[in-house]
């Protein structure tokens, strides 16, 4: 059974030859560049290219040589992929490549910033930091629905980008046997938070729900306009389409299920139905935290796959989730806790954790293994390989 067949079998809620594995299929199942370089050195892999393809989170694009060793089954399909790269250095001094037009500026305090075309600082990495955090919220001063008319929600995608996307997806489909995931097909709730600022959004959600509804409708419309060009370019080539909106916190949902169902869910439903009606692929939602209360809504709206399965969050016990929802939704994640076990445990701790999650989630299919979230810079390579060796050892289905 090849990788594509393995993933599709699991998504059908059938048991493949072994539990499928994902590293880097999307921007929350990946590995930071620093950790990736350590892993390659540990494995004795020389050469190759550590390309940072998610600049905010500083994630490295996993190479085929690495995926073969760990048993990876998924490749990402990015809507826009840089055509030119240049050499750079990560915060720990190790080498990497970054997109040619990536030009951070170092400030006198040692922090690094990114500016937009108008020269405005839009993201910042603190001195001795590891990530670029967004610091610009273009609609933070908007108060009335009329204020939304001045903002360009939809920025047209040029035909060259669509042609390149089509050719990359077609090439990966015809010349590899990996499962392919389209990244970044849509976000509504998080996009609104980014435009207003998180706190501002939350306050307006309660005090001015009509304004928030109008904002969400603008974002929904822009998402669908993008997808009108994107989905035909990859239809028939990708097996999974990824959307994302973080709805959870460590101890519960960000907003009440009632508020979600009144204001957010109707827009989510329209976006997800559009995707399902316009491409033959499984629909994957990335939504962090304690999202147990929303899982029935996801299933009802046609979501096929839930990620990341944040096992340390409230009500996200893998055994309970599998028993209640395992025949209706695929759990893509939850394979190893990334808050405590993977970074701070021993290889033995990692082995016990992974074995437990496989026992909970693997029976009957409907499970793709990946750690809860991205592998962070400080994770020892010994723990990474303990994770992959354990899933290969215990993730075999009986024949």
């Amino acid at each position: 059974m090849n990788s594509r067949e393995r993933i599709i079998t699991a998504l059908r809620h059938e048991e493949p030859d072994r539990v499928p594995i994902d590293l880097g299929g999307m921007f929350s199942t990946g590995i930071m560049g620093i950790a990736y370089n350590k892993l390659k050195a540990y494995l004795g892999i020389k050469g190759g290219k550590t390309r940072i393809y998610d600049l905010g989170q500083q994630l490295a694009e996993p190479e085929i040589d690495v995926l073969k060793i760990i048993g990876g089954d998924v490749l990402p399909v990015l809507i826009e992929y840089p055509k030119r790269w240049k050499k750079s250095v990560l915060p720990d001094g190790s080498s990497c490549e970054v997109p040619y037009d990536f030009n951070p500026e170092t400030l006198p305090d040692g922090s690094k910033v990114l500016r937009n075309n108008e020269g405005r600082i839009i993201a910042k990495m603190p001195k001795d930091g590891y990530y670029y955090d967004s610091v610009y919220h273009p609609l933070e001063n908007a108060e009335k629905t009329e204020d939304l008319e001045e903002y360009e929600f939809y920025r047209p995608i040029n035909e060259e980008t669509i042609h390149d996307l089509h050719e990359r997806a077609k090439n990966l489909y015809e010349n590899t046997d990996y499962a392919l995931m389209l990244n970044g097909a849509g976000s509504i709730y998080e996009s609104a938070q980014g435009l207003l600022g998180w706190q501002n959004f939350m306050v307006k959600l309660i005090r001015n729900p009509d304004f928030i509804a109008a904002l969400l409708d603008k974002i929904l419309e822009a998402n669908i306009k993008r997808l009108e060009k994107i989905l035909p370019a990859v239809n028939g080539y990708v097996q999974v389409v990824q959307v994302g909106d973080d709805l959870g916190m460590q101890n519960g949902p960000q907003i009440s299920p009632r508020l979600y169902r009144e204001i957010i869910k109707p827009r989510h439903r329209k976006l997800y139905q559009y995707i399902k009606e316009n491409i033959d692929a499984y629909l994957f939602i990335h939504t962090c935290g304690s999202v147990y209360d929303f899982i029935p809504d996801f299933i009802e709206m046609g979501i096929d796959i839930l990620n990341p399965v944040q096992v340390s969050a409230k009500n996200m016990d893998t055994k309970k989730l599998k028993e209640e929802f395992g025949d209706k939704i695929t759990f893509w994640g939850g394979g190893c806790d990334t808050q405590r076990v993977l970074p701070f445990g021993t290889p033995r701790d990692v082995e016990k954790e992974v074995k437990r999650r496989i026992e909970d989630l693997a029976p009957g299919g409907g499970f793709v293994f990946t750690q809860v979230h991205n592998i962070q810079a400080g994770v020892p390579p010994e723990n990474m390989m303990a994770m992959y060796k354990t899933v290969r050892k215990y993730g075999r289905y009986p024949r």
Side-chain angles (χ1 to χ4, degrees):
M1 185 172 284
N2 67 35
S3 289
R4 192 173 299 153
E5 294 167 341
R6 186 173 296 121
I7 289 285
I8 291 172
T9 301
L11 294 178
R12 288 175 177 163
H13 294 268
E14 300 170 1
E15 294 184 349
D17 56 340
R18 64 166 174 83
V19 171
I21 296 171
D22 173 28
L23 175 65
M26 54 85 63
F27 288 153
S28 297
T29 67
I31 180 169
M32 290 188 69
I34 292 174
Y36 186 67
N37 280 341
K38 291 178 181 176
L39 177 61
K40 287 177 66 175
Y42 180 79
L43 294 173
I45 297 175
K46 297 180 180 179
K49 296 175 180 178
T50 298
R51 285 183 163 172
I52 305 303
Y53 72 151
D54 182 319
L55 298 168
Q57 299 182 98
Q58 295 285 282
L59 301 180
E61 178 182 19
E63 298 160 282
I64 297 296
D65 286 349
V66 173
L67 294 181
K68 286 180 178 178
I69 292 173
I70 69 167
D73 293 300
V74 188
L75 292 177
V77 176
L78 309 186
I79 294 170
E80 296 186 64
Y81 188 82
K83 291 186 176 181
R84 300 176 66 193
W85 298 79
K86 62 185 179 183
K87 293 182 179 179
S88 186
V89 176
L90 293 166
D92 69 338
S94 62
S95 62
C96 69
E97 290 188 359
V98 296
Y100 191 79
D101 58 358
F102 178 65
N103 298 299
E105 173 187 341
T106 302
L107 299 183
D109 65 359
S111 63
K112 294 181 178 180
V113 298
L114 304 177
R115 298 182 185 271
N116 63 13
N117 293 334
E118 290 77 43
R120 187 190 302 271
I121 294 174
I122 59 172
K124 185 174 184 178
M125 178 189 289
K127 181 183 179 181
D128 301 324
Y130 291 96
Y131 320 95
Y132 284 94
D133 298 311
S134 176
V135 295
Y136 175 50
H137 310 292
L139 293 178
E140 61 185 355
N141 295 318
E143 296 292 339
K144 305 184 295 295
T145 55
E146 292 80 3
D147 297 333
L148 303 177
E149 300 303 324
E150 301 176 6
Y151 186 75
E152 186 183 10
F153 287 90
Y154 173 66
R155 293 171 174 80
I157 303 175
N158 63 52
E159 292 304 319
E160 182 182 355
T161 297
I162 294 299
H163 174 75
D164 180 58
L165 170 63
H166 172 81
E167 291 300 314
R168 280 186 287 111
K170 182 174 184 288
N171 177 63
L172 289 172
Y173 180 80
E174 293 179 347
N175 296 298
T176 80
D177 61 12
Y178 287 91
L180 306 179
M181 187 189 307
L182 176 70
N183 277 230
S187 166
I188 296 176
Y189 179 81
E190 273 190 75
S191 292
Q193 290 174 328
L195 290 169
L196 295 178
W198 200 89
Q199 181 174 328
N200 191 14
F201 172 86
M202 289 301 194
V203 170
K204 281 185 168 62
L205 185 61
I206 301 300
R207 292 185 175 177
N208 195 352
D210 290 341
F211 172 83
I212 293 297
L215 173 62
L216 296 175
D217 284 338
K218 292 281 190 182
I219 296 170
L220 170 63
E221 181 183 6
N223 271 277
I224 290 177
K225 281 186 176 180
R226 288 175 69 249
L227 292 172
E228 286 173 354
K229 289 192 172 185
I230 291 168
L231 296 184
V234 299
N235 194 17
Y237 301 127
V238 302
Q239 289 71 57
V240 181
V241 172
Q242 178 259 323
V243 295
D245 269 328
D246 286 346
L247 294 168
M249 301 183 295
Q250 189 73 18
N251 296 314
Q254 290 185 16
I255 60 175
S256 71
R258 178 194 61 80
L259 197 56
Y260 172 76
R261 290 165 189 146
E262 287 179 4
I263 299 180
I264 312 300
K265 184 177 178 180
R267 282 83 188 177
H268 271 170
R269 184 193 301 277
K270 289 180 181 179
L271 177 63
Y272 303 157
Q273 285 182 343
Y274 181 85
I275 294 171
K276 298 283 281 191
E277 290 170 1
N278 286 276
I279 191 168
D280 182 19
Y282 292 90
L283 185 55
F284 171 122
I285 188 170
H286 170 78
T287 182
C288 286
S290 175
V291 295
Y292 171 83
D293 292 339
F294 302 124
I295 294 177
D297 298 282
F298 299 153
I299 294 170
E300 190 262 331
M301 289 187 290
I303 293 287
D304 301 297
I305 302 162
L306 176 65
N307 167 270
V309 193
Q310 190 170 319
V311 298
S312 62
K314 183 179 180 181
N315 291 328
M316 296 299 287
D317 175 73
T318 46
K319 187 175 181 62
K320 176 182 177 181
L321 292 175
K322 185 71 172 185
E323 289 174 352
E324 291 192 35
F325 307 113
D327 61 336
K328 301 178 183 70
I329 199 164
T330 292
F331 297 107
W332 191 301
C336 186
D337 170 48
T338 47
Q339 287 179 268
R340 299 178 183 86
V341 179
L342 192 60
F344 304 120
T346 65
R348 176 59 180 157
D349 294 330
V350 171
E351 181 181 1
K352 290 171 61 179
E353 163 80 355
V354 171
K355 187 172 182 290
R356 171 193 170 187
R357 303 304 175 186
I358 290 172
E359 290 171 351
D360 287 350
L361 294 171
F367 175 50
V368 176
F369 181 93
T370 187
Q371 71 284 341
V372 168
H373 212 286
N374 294 321
I375 298 173
Q376 299 297 296
V379 174
E382 293 84 356
N383 284 8
M384 298 181 218
M385 289 313 299
M387 178 172 69
Y388 294 119
K389 288 177 180 178
T390 303
V391 70
R392 294 296 294 272
K393 178 179 180 181
Y394 295 102
R396 293 273 171 193
Y397 286 99
R399 290 295 171 191

